[in-house]
Amino acid sequence: MCQYIDWLENVPIKEQMEGELNTDEWKNVIDQIPSISLITFTGGEPFVRKDFMEIFEYASKKARTHFISNGTMITEERAQALVELAPKRLGGKGFNFAGTSIEAPGELHDNIRKMKGAFDRTQKGIKYLIEFREKSGKKCPRVHITTVIQKDNIDVLPEMPKLVKELGADVLNLVTESRALDLPELGEVEPSIYKAENIKYPRLDKQKLTKSLTETIKVSCELGIELRLPRMPLSAIIDYYTTQINLEEYECRNAWNTLFIGRTGDVYPCWIKKIGNIKKSTLKELWNNEIMREFRKTCQQHLFATCPGCCFIEHKHQKSAL
């Protein structure tokens, strides 16, 4: 499910860290981001950086912040320090959102993640955050649980709303499994070279998937859990896993509102197109450079074979936030 797994398992730690932006370089990036922005930290796992809390605190004083973590490294002490960075109300400057992925209840999550004890450690981290949030009287951080719809958890998806409620989290996100990021040299080469036949799209039984999603929606309503689905009709989610979606029915605005900055400073409007590096250009220069402008023009005309499964594409006639 995770496109990084082979790299993480087979590349030595020292080599993985080569070329990473240091603390001051990340602070310089943060200084270039408009204060009205939402800054998301993700990975891999952001907490493996020894300076992450310092960087996150710096960003939280400048803008609204959000991290996506597996939660296993959120200790009681860290959770308290994190909640101190949160605003009293949603939308204020500081730590607004925390996200973590739980793929299934209990041992099944551990099996999918290939990490024994991960489920219990993740639960504990989430509960620490929510406990200190409640004690502080703040509305933030809001906590979202994300689950990837996949063959290993299709039978237990209806159990996820109850789990979210028990944890005290705020939102359950169901997202599609994307295999496009497995493609070699993605982001380094022209994305139009990849065709649908180059991508091993995930496939699930139609009847089983329909039943599972319908039941998950029903249980979420009964328990009062906010459920966010991919930005497409339910029938299109089923099409994605059984036949294929029609890309002409979708659009993407990412190139006009988002930048991804990788660990070594490479910058992308999405992972399929690199537009430069923060060590060589400012964010403002990258946002307006020729590569970015041409990419926006292309996105206005059509999407790419790599786009199905991405959380950022939106069905033109049914847009529901993740």
Side-chain angles (χ1 to χ4, degrees):
M1 180 194 64
C2 176
Q3 70 272 15
Y4 300 117
I5 193 69
D6 289 338
W7 186 78
L8 290 168
E9 288 181 342
N10 299 308
V11 177
I13 296 295
K14 186 176 180 180
E15 187 177 336
Q16 290 181 25
M17 295 174 65
E18 285 180 3
E20 283 193 350
L21 299 180
N22 62 34
T23 309
D24 289 337
E25 286 173 321
W26 275 120
K27 288 181 178 179
N28 180 52
V29 172
I30 292 164
D31 287 339
Q32 298 178 54
I33 298 173
S35 60
I36 60 171
S37 303
L38 173 66
I39 305 175
T40 294
F41 293 87
T42 183
E45 171 54 50
F47 281 96
V48 299
R49 279 191 66 125
K50 294 179 180 179
D51 60 354
F52 176 66
M53 288 296 291
E54 180 181 350
I55 294 171
F56 192 71
E57 180 178 356
Y58 189 83
S60 296
K61 292 177 180 177
K62 300 272 186 177
R64 294 173 298 149
T65 54
H66 167 218
F67 68 66
I68 300 173
S69 162
N70 64 26
T72 61
M73 299 177 71
I74 300 177
T75 62
E76 187 172 7
E77 182 181 9
R78 272 183 174 166
Q80 185 173 9
L82 286 164
V83 171
E84 289 173 1
L85 300 175
K88 289 185 177 180
R89 295 178 180 82
L90 188 65
K93 190 177 293 185
F95 178 29
N96 275 248
F97 307 102
T100 191
S101 293
I102 298 180
E103 308 305 343
E107 290 185 7
L108 182 54
H109 171 81
D110 293 356
N111 293 337
I112 293 172
R113 285 305 180 100
K114 299 182 180 180
M115 183 188 292
K116 188 175 182 180
F119 179 77
D120 289 339
R121 289 166 60 193
T122 296
Q123 277 197 109
K124 188 177 292 186
I126 294 168
K127 287 180 177 179
Y128 281 145
L129 274 179
I130 294 171
E131 176 186 337
F132 284 109
R133 182 186 70 182
E134 299 304 314
K135 285 181 179 178
S136 71
K138 295 179 177 180
K139 300 295 184 182
C140 300
R142 282 177 59 82
V143 178
H144 62 85
I145 307 297
T146 298
T147 302
V148 179
I149 303 166
Q150 56 188 289
K151 64 180 178 62
D152 291 328
N153 67 9
I154 186 173
D155 293 324
V156 299
L157 287 180
E159 298 177 29
M160 293 305 298
K162 181 182 177 183
L163 175 60
V164 171
K165 189 176 184 68
E166 289 173 349
L167 287 173
D170 302 287
V171 176
L172 171 61
N173 290 333
L174 293 188
V175 298
T176 45
E177 177 186 351
S178 174
R179 299 305 339 165
L181 293 173
D182 294 333
L183 294 169
E185 299 185 282
L186 187 71
E188 301 290 338
V189 297
E190 177 56 41
S192 60
I193 70 168
Y194 299 110
K195 308 302 179 186
E197 55 266 27
N198 301 134
I199 303 168
K200 189 177 180 181
Y201 291 109
R203 289 292 176 255
L204 296 173
D205 178 80
K206 184 174 184 178
Q207 185 175 358
K208 186 181 289 188
L209 177 61
T210 303
K211 179 181 178 182
S212 183
L213 291 178
T214 303
E215 183 66 19
T216 304
I217 294 169
K218 177 185 175 183
V219 175
S220 296
C221 291
E222 291 173 350
L223 296 178
I225 294 297
E226 182 179 348
L227 174 65
R228 298 183 182 180
L229 298 171
R231 306 174 202 191
M232 57 180 71
L234 183 61
S235 59
I237 300 174
I238 295 165
D239 287 343
Y240 172 73
Y241 281 99
T242 54
T243 53
Q244 191 50 273
I245 61 172
N246 180 4
L247 270 180
E248 294 181 1
E249 297 176 348
Y250 294 81
E251 62 186 3
C252 181
R253 306 298 298 173
N254 233 45
W256 287 267
N257 58 40
T258 301
L259 281 180
F260 295 92
I261 304 167
R263 64 184 185 88
T264 61
D266 288 337
V267 179
Y268 311 77
C270 79
W271 294 117
I272 69 173
K273 186 71 174 180
K274 186 171 78 173
I275 61 170
N277 190 286
I278 195 64
K279 294 179 181 179
K280 299 177 181 179
S281 307
T282 65
L283 277 184
K284 185 175 182 180
E285 290 168 343
L286 292 165
W287 182 253
N288 293 296
N289 72 14
E290 184 177 349
I291 302 173
M292 186 68 155
R293 292 198 302 271
E294 286 301 314
F295 186 67
R296 288 190 182 112
K297 288 179 184 178
T298 305
C299 289
Q300 285 180 315
Q301 298 165 3
H302 63 82
L303 298 184
F304 301 90
T306 53
C307 295
C310 176
C311 355
F312 292 102
I313 65 169
E314 301 178 77
H315 195 277
K316 292 178 181 178
H317 305 299
Q318 182 168 328
K319 302 176 184 178
S320 59
L322 280 175

